[in-house]
Amino acid sequence: MLRRTLLLGLCRGPLGRGLGTHRGGSILDRDGKMSEIKKKIQSILPGGDWNPLYDTSYLPPESSDVVIVGGGVLGLSVAYWLKKLEKPRGAIRVLVVERDHTYSRASTVLSVGGIRQQFSVPENVQLSLFSIDFLRNINEYLAVADDPPLDIQFNPSGYLLLASEKGAAIMENNVKVQRQEGAKVCLMSPEQLRNKFPWINTEGVALASYGMEHEGWFDPWCLLQGLRRKVQSMGVLFCRGEVTRFVSSSNLMKTASGEEVNVKRIHEVHVKIDQSLEYQPVECAIVINAAGAWSGQVAELAGIGKGPPGTLQGTKLPVELRKRYVYLWHCPQGPGLETPFVIDPSGTYFRREGLGHNYLGGCSPTEEEEPDPGNLEVDHDFFQDRVWPPLAQRVPAFETLKVRSAWAGYYDYNTFDQNGVVGPHPLVINMYFATGFSGHGLQQAPAVGRAVAEMVLEGHFQTINLSSFLFSRFYSGEKVQEHNII
Amino acid sequence: MAAPKASLHLVAPVWNGGTRGIGGLSRVVAPEGNQKKGRSLLQFLADCFYDVEALRDHLLRKQVSKVHQKNRFQGREWIRPNQRGHFSLDFLKLQAVPVEAVDASGCAINYQGLDSLLALKELQSLWLQRCPHVDDWCLSRLHPLASSLQELSLAGCPRVSERGLACLHHLWNLRRLDISDLPAVSSPGLTRILVEEMLPSCEVLGADWAQGLKLGPEEQPRDTAGPTPA
């Protein structure tokens, strides 16, 4: 009613949309005055966030149904699927808390961007298959009216995994599992490998598995921005701040077997604003831990792991920061356009980058040589000592190459079994995890987001059953070990 | 009809203050289309009413599904044998004839539509000129035709880029490849050279090697009567 009176009073005819209006605002206020007045009135009315003394628009709302800690690809994917699968439209208020809006240390954007189905755990293959489907139809999923379509620059060149004599049997088993789930992988002998890729030195290679379809690499930044744009248009709220505290209450309850457990429920999340001591307590019903490499710290804030070791209360979330280096080099005689994402038995990997004979690659260090994750400085000696020799041995053309640049990023490394943690915590019952993917989080993000959203909204997994990825496996000791980790 | 947005705002205020703080990313992404004049009535209504916005999304999705529909044979699935293994009578005459060439130029064939083509094990020649929905994903699907396919034409496909061309190396029997006039390929001359290196026994038609090269100050543009650059 108020709006109609304002409209009648200030009718100016249909003109271009005013700047500064929020999405879907009236086009009748060319200079934004109308929407300012409207916003002021709405914030004064009950339910608004107006503080008459000073501007509080940078603070998160005082309450939110779901708070997602971490605004990387996993956090945004969970936000997207929560909004997409919620039953009445606009039923759930979702808040994404991200402390670094430039994503300067986020694993998502520092990633090499590969996606493959060549895993040994069937759930991982299913997650990747759905994610590649999502990426192929990204413009149907993430379409926003009036915005240009996304181009994630997908290179469908496939992954080529090489195995030595020892690993050949494991590779054959893996390929069998992958084919059962629907991945298109073919096995190649060294002879076939030489025919197809003459630049490979097949010494020491007994078997190779090559992904024919649905594998390759893409631009993770574009996916992140696409998700961000879409979730903003769906009404997800963003806040630039850091979660410093959880306020929870606990109840002593008896399990079915008569054992007494301390069940916790998080009631408030304290979000500290960047470069300030100010914080806002946000009342919430559900907290999603998608903080990537820092998920372990966020879990500790919620009291996960504080208890006698060996009990469920004392089981920490085993996700740690691990630093990984990526090097970009130029080799004019190197392999051509057909180069897939090659993974050597030694753990060294590389892929083509662009058309100019540039290549990206690296290697996972062993446990003893793990670099200090305190900063993101690059160790160039690591390339000389650990990456270059196996590369040059596998691809003789790489004996002459020149490193153009390098960067470092974090893995949200799950020290238990290097696979993701998904689903609620058994004791802190309203904290859900979507983290710990140890280097393959980006490629499984769309599917994991959907799984977590199903868990939150329905209470169980509906499409892909990820019960083996629940937190309780850390207590019961059932490892979901993956044999193919870069 | 549709409830006006204003009343929805009063019930559940949409809090937009935070988007301003995060670098106004929504502004950065929003194109000039927002401010262009002559917006249609539907767009105007979509701004005012949530229901019309949903209707507009639905119409956009219908357009996409129309392409999916076109990839079914005459509104039905492709003619396949039924449970007892019998084809319908019309195809009895043509059953044993292998399909050697398919001309799908200008067709609205897309990723799902290629299902039907990939079953043709003796296909030698495939023409996909000017197909608006053939993109890199479709090219990655062509590998089952590797043993028979000898000629492939992708001229004028607006969505094919050099990333999709990279997966044509599966087609080791390919003898003629036409990649002319691909607007999404960033450097056509370089791409052609790389594709030729990738498929040594294939004749690649298409971009001129010099296309996309910038002429230096000492090189003048040649006359048409002059010799063409090697």
Side-chain angles (χ1 to χ4, degrees):
Chain A
M1 232 199 4
L2 206 56
R3 185 172 184 242
R4 244 177 264 143
T5 43
L6 290 169
L7 271 180
L8 288 173
L10 293 154
C11 189
R12 275 182 216 162
L15 289 165
R17 214 201 271 187
L19 300 166
T21 57
H22 68 87
R23 256 197 143 61
S26 161
I27 64 165
L28 297 176
D29 53 335
R30 199 172 16 160
D31 45 10
K33 266 205 228 126
M34 276 289 308
S35 59
E36 295 288 310
I37 298 174
K38 252 195 331 189
K39 257 197 241 184
K40 261 264 151 28
I41 295 173
Q42 279 161 20
S43 59
I44 292 171
L45 291 170
D49 312 302
W50 183 57
N51 187 315
L53 295 176
Y54 44 85
D55 177 30
T56 54
S57 52
Y58 58 93
L59 286 178
E62 285 175 9
S63 71
S64 171
D65 296 309
V66 178
V67 173
I68 300 181
V69 183
V73 70
L74 269 175
L76 291 182
S77 174
V78 175
Y80 169 76
W81 284 103
L82 275 174
K83 276 301 188 183
K84 185 144 152 89
L85 299 175
E86 63 184 1
K87 275 299 144 33
R89 188 178 150 159
I92 301 185
R93 181 189 276 197
V94 180
L95 171 71
V96 173
V97 180
E98 168 58 49
R99 67 179 168 189
D100 180 9
H101 71 288
T102 59
Y103 293 97
S104 54
R105 299 192 297 162
S107 311
T108 305
V109 296
L110 295 169
S111 153
V112 168
I115 176 164
R116 60 180 159 117
Q117 282 84 47
Q118 296 189 50
F119 292 101
S120 58
V121 173
E123 284 92 348
N124 275 336
V125 184
Q126 291 168 11
L127 288 173
S128 260
L129 277 172
F130 176 73
S131 299
I132 194 82
D133 203 61
F134 183 92
L135 291 176
R136 193 181 74 239
N137 296 315
I138 195 168
N139 283 311
E140 289 175 29
Y141 284 106
L142 301 185
V144 176
D146 292 335
D147 275 349
L150 291 167
D151 176 16
I152 51 164
Q153 317 236 319
F154 180 65
N155 284 273
S157 296
Y159 267 63
L160 179 71
L161 269 66
L162 306 172
S164 58
E165 279 289 337
K166 287 189 297 180
I170 301 176
M171 178 174 272
E172 276 189 48
N173 274 335
N174 289 354
V175 170
K176 202 158 41 163
V177 169
Q178 290 149 24
R179 282 190 180 144
Q180 266 173 353
E181 299 294 336
K184 305 262 192 333
V185 186
C186 79
L187 284 167
M188 295 168 77
S189 67
E191 167 101 25
Q192 289 169 323
L193 202 57
R194 274 193 296 272
N195 282 337
K196 199 148 188 137
F197 304 116
W199 38 264
I200 284 192
N201 167 19
T202 54
E203 182 191 323
V205 172
L207 194 61
S209 70
Y210 186 30
M212 307 290 279
E213 268 185 66
H214 306 313
E215 292 191 343
W217 57 91
F218 64 97
D219 177 15
W221 178 254
C222 180
L223 175 63
L224 187 72
Q225 293 311 311
L227 274 171
R228 206 178 163 116
R229 183 181 80 174
K230 178 68 177 174
V231 299
Q232 273 182 331
S233 82
M234 288 165 126
V236 167
L237 311 174
F238 278 82
C239 171
R240 180 172 149 192
E242 186 180 342
V243 170
T244 46
R245 194 170 164 222
F246 291 110
V247 173
S248 46
S249 70
S250 34
N251 274 319
L252 214 52
M253 298 177 87
K254 273 212 173 119
T255 62
S257 50
E259 202 186 306
E260 276 200 352
V261 280
N262 215 359
V263 170
K264 254 187 168 173
R265 198 180 180 90
I266 299 176
H267 288 285
E268 265 183 15
V269 178
H270 284 196
V271 178
K272 181 180 100 70
I273 302 303
D274 218 20
Q275 284 154 16
S276 150
L277 289 176
E278 190 180 4
Y279 71 88
Q280 165 80 308
V282 180
E283 278 184 358
C284 62
I286 286 173
V287 175
I288 309 230
N289 186 351
W294 297 271
S295 313
Q297 296 165 14
V298 172
E300 271 180 30
L301 284 177
I304 293 174
K306 294 214 176 91
T311 61
L312 188 52
Q313 286 112 303
T315 317
K316 295 195 210 277
L317 178 70
V319 174
E320 286 176 9
L321 286 109
R322 288 290 167 95
K323 187 157 90 162
R324 293 287 177 266
Y325 303 115
V326 177
Y327 302 92
L328 171 73
W329 65 87
H330 172 70
C331 176
Q333 312 304 324
L337 202 52
E338 75 278 9
T339 317
F341 198 123
V342 180
I343 306 183
D344 195 58
S346 63
T348 322
Y349 63 88
F350 73 92
R351 68 157 173 85
R352 174 180 62 84
E353 169 66 28
L355 295 177
H357 285 286
N358 292 317
Y359 306 89
L360 276 183
C363 172
S364 277
T366 55
E367 286 288 339
E368 298 82 42
E369 5 166 80
E370 277 291 345
D372 168 33
N375 56 36
L376 284 178
E377 300 290 323
V378 177
D379 180 8
H380 292 278
D381 294 327
F382 185 75
F383 182 79
Q384 297 278 115
D385 305 328
R386 286 277 281 123
V387 182
W388 199 359
L391 271 182
Q393 204 255 332
R394 188 58 59 209
V395 181
F398 282 162
E399 275 160 19
T400 46
L401 57 78
K402 188 166 174 155
V403 176
R404 283 260 166 90
S405 81
W407 67 87
Y410 291 121
Y411 271 16
D412 48 345
Y413 195 80
N414 181 346
T415 51
F416 187 71
D417 55 13
Q418 290 87 58
N419 263 321
V421 192
V422 173
H425 189 274
L427 292 180
V428 182
I429 51 177
N430 62 348
M431 172 169 271
Y432 290 73
F433 297 105
T435 179
F437 285 88
S438 320
H440 47 276
L442 172 67
Q443 57 188 280
Q444 294 177 336
V448 169
R450 186 177 64 164
V452 173
E454 285 168 1
M455 196 55 162
V456 167
L457 295 171
E458 308 288 333
H460 54 267
F461 296 116
Q462 281 181 321
T463 42
I464 302 179
N465 186 2
L466 296 179
S467 344
S468 46
F469 283 24
L470 289 171
F471 184 95
S472 36
R473 76 184 193 270
F474 301 136
Y475 174 59
S476 63
E478 291 159 8
K479 290 197 180 187
V480 183
Q481 199 80 41
E482 177 63 56
H483 299 296
N484 303 336
I485 287 292
I486 303 172
Chain B
M1 232 277 283
K5 270 191 174 180
S7 62
L8 283 169
H9 276 177
L10 290 175
V11 167
V14 176
W15 187 80
N16 273 311
T19 56
R20 245 186 286 137
I22 319 270
L25 267 168
S26 56
R27 302 290 156 260
V28 170
V29 172
E32 301 71 34
N34 280 346
Q35 277 112 37
K36 69 172 185 252
K37 320 277 196 275
R39 299 169 50 177
S40 73
L41 177 65
L42 193 62
Q43 278 171 332
F44 166 56
L45 286 175
D47 289 336
C48 292
F49 302 117
Y50 279 132
D51 292 350
V52 178
E53 189 183 328
L55 173 71
R56 205 164 152 234
D57 281 337
H58 172 71
L59 288 176
L60 275 166
R61 235 169 283 171
K62 248 184 83 173
Q63 268 181 8
V64 175
S65 74
K66 259 199 218 156
V67 175
H68 287 311
Q69 283 295 325
K70 282 195 186 163
N71 280 286
R72 293 166 149 234
F73 183 59
Q74 285 189 0
R76 302 176 273 146
E77 291 290 348
W78 283 91
I79 296 179
R80 292 207 169 86
N82 62 15
Q83 298 101 310
R84 272 179 268 135
H86 299 311
F87 282 104
S88 94
L89 290 173
D90 337 344
F91 263 65
L92 269 181
K93 300 176 205 139
L94 297 172
Q95 214 174 350
V97 177
V99 178
E100 279 191 359
V102 169
D103 179 4
S105 320
C107 279
I109 192 167
N110 71 354
Y111 186 84
Q112 272 89 18
L114 279 180
D115 277 338
S116 327
L117 289 183
L118 297 177
L120 302 169
K121 290 294 167 232
E122 317 231 358
L123 190 64
Q124 286 177 16
S125 168
L126 180 58
W127 295 344
L128 294 169
Q129 284 121 304
R130 301 179 310 279
C131 290
H133 300 282
V134 163
D135 56 8
D136 299 334
W137 300 88
C138 299
L139 291 187
S140 74
R141 277 198 99 181
L142 292 179
H143 63 92
L145 301 171
S147 45
S148 58
L149 197 67
Q150 288 176 14
E151 181 183 345
L152 176 64
S153 169
L154 298 167
C157 290
R159 295 201 193 179
V160 170
S161 75
E162 66 270 17
R163 300 178 285 276
L165 295 178
C167 52
L168 289 183
H169 83 279
H170 292 292
L171 308 173
W172 46 269
N173 242 339
L174 205 60
R175 297 288 168 263
R176 274 171 59 92
L177 174 65
D178 187 353
I179 50 169
S180 45
D181 201 24
L182 294 174
V185 168
S186 50
S187 12
L190 178 58
T191 309
R192 183 187 162 179
I193 295 174
L194 291 172
V195 170
E196 283 184 351
E197 279 175 20
M198 184 172 82
L199 295 167
S201 51
C202 178
E203 179 195 344
V204 177
L205 302 163
D208 190 17
W209 284 328
Q211 192 176 346
L213 280 179
K214 278 202 279 259
L215 290 175
E218 60 279 358
E219 287 172 344
Q220 300 302 313
R222 289 176 185 267
D223 293 338
T224 46
T228 49

